[in-house]
Amino acid sequence: MEPTSNPVSVPAPSPAPDRLCTGLSWFEDRPALTTVEGADLRLKALAPGTRLALSWSGRRRCVGWTAPNTGRTACAEDAEIGGAATLAQCPACQNRDHGLAVARDRITDDGRAYQLYLAWFAPGMLKVGITGVHRGVARLLEQGAIGYTVIATGTLPATRRAELTVSASGLAKERYRSRAKVEAWWGLPESDGLRSALTQARIKALRILADHTLDAIPDGPLVDNTDFFGLGDGAPATYHEVEALDASGSLSGEVRSVIGKHVFVTAEGGAQVLLDTRLLAGRHTAIADAGGMVGVRTAERRRPLLYDMPTLF
């Protein structure tokens, strides 16, 4: 008699859960992609050398808004966000978001202590700004400050007045466009210029603010993030920058460096790809290493000839 077969049924592996990506955040000096499913928050570390393997699909949704003590609140309208937007919030959630309200000068005081800082992005690109003391250096890292120094602390109204005063003096700007920052990476490193610019700017700024009600920090650390951001030799001479993501697609490769909200990824074949992670926010993502890039539209960027020319005089 033939033996009776007793096959064992093995269920197929379940696909990775589909979660809403809320963007890239810095936790002290560590960057991570954040995703949510209901109240459950997950982090995907993006340290250099780690593997990034994601897929996305479905319509892009508003990521909601955040406030002190309550954290993130989901969008009540589950609003749709345009594929090319770099801010994945609908107008209603933007109006409720505490961080945006501070940045847009719609909150006069929130009872918290703030830092006044100077940030350096490249020669001639100096920024003045404020950030909550409770956030530490996260704000400086998320905007890709190549160098920075904190020059004073105070209440929100005091530091905001100081920020406007320094900006009005012409010493530093309140903001720079992301495109200008990215293009400046080819001109790095500029460590000597960085430290000199921050030192001189701090002296001038504190002189301008002499009659302001702030706790001045005349000799705080001058932080140089050039090597930390992987820009010791500048940006790659040639790379492919992600300009848009299709409604569905995938991207995989090894993280080369993280600069603010941007990630350099070494894709298959060694190609360097620059992704602005703000384009991922609001998309349904899953861990899925399909290999290569699908549904990703890129443009080739090359170092301007100016930086390749030898000095003639």
Side-chain angles (χ1 to χ4, degrees):
M1 185 174 71
E2 295 183 0
T4 303
S5 62
N6 185 24
V8 177
S9 176
V10 179
S14 300
D18 179 87
R19 303 172 62 85
L20 185 70
C21 179
T22 53
L24 185 153
S25 297
W26 285 83
F27 300 87
E28 296 182 349
D29 60 351
R30 297 186 296 275
L33 274 180
T34 57
T35 60
V36 295
E37 187 176 25
D40 183 34
L41 174 68
R42 299 284 178 87
L43 308 179
K44 166 59 180 174
L46 291 180
T50 59
R51 183 149 185 85
L52 176 64
L54 291 174
S55 67
W56 59 89
S57 61
R59 69 186 185 93
R60 194 179 182 194
R61 296 166 47 201
C62 173
V63 298
W65 52 282
T66 60
N69 302 320
T70 59
R72 174 185 172 274
T73 299
C75 177
E77 303 298 324
D78 196 28
E80 187 163 353
I81 300 296
T86 53
L87 180 58
Q89 287 176 296
C90 68
C93 287
Q94 289 182 44
N95 288 334
R96 295 186 178 98
D97 193 271
H98 182 81
L100 286 178
V102 170
R104 295 173 179 178
D105 207 17
R106 296 204 312 265
I107 294 180
T108 57
D109 197 359
D110 62 1
R112 296 186 173 195
Y114 281 78
Q115 304 174 99
L116 179 70
Y117 64 82
L118 294 170
W120 186 97
F121 296 96
M125 293 179 64
L126 191 69
K127 177 184 184 296
V128 61
I130 65 174
T131 183
V133 170
H134 65 283
R135 295 206 65 201
V137 301
R139 174 62 181 149
L140 282 305
L141 294 173
E142 73 185 16
Q143 62 185 300
I146 306 301
Y148 68 86
T149 186
V150 175
I151 64 172
T153 59
T155 63
L156 174 55
T159 52
R160 179 61 177 145
R161 282 195 300 271
E163 179 187 26
L164 292 172
T165 299
V166 172
S167 175
S169 75
L171 179 63
K173 293 184 178 182
E174 289 184 71
R175 60 185 56 84
Y176 284 96
R177 295 181 65 85
S178 176
R179 168 54 40 203
K181 296 178 187 178
V182 171
E183 291 180 351
W185 295 341
W186 274 309
L188 302 175
E190 278 282 348
S191 296
D192 292 340
L194 180 159
R195 294 180 183 279
S196 175
L198 286 175
T199 299
Q200 295 304 313
R202 176 170 59 191
I203 293 171
K204 293 177 182 178
L206 291 179
R207 188 181 300 137
I208 292 169
L209 300 173
D211 61 348
H212 283 240
T213 54
L214 293 167
D215 293 323
I217 305 174
D219 55 359
L222 302 174
V223 180
D224 182 350
N225 285 326
T226 307
D227 290 331
F228 177 74
F229 283 150
L231 293 171
D233 295 318
T238 302
Y239 60 86
H240 298 272
E241 184 173 11
V242 176
E243 291 192 321
L245 301 177
D246 292 343
S248 62
S250 62
L251 171 65
S252 62
E254 182 178 295
V255 175
R256 176 182 183 272
S257 60
V258 183
I259 312 163
K261 299 284 188 178
H262 287 78
V263 182
F264 271 112
V265 177
T266 303
E268 289 184 356
Q272 298 297 314
V273 178
L274 180 65
L275 170 66
D276 184 343
T277 59
R278 294 177 299 176
L279 295 173
L280 280 174
R283 299 183 186 275
H284 297 276
T285 61
I287 303 299
D289 195 351
M293 295 189 297
V294 178
V296 179
R297 284 170 276 171
T298 66
E300 186 179 67
R301 307 295 185 199
R302 290 182 176 273
R303 179 183 294 157
L305 292 177
L306 173 66
Y307 291 122
D308 290 330
M309 293 175 61
T311 301
L312 299 179
F313 302 101

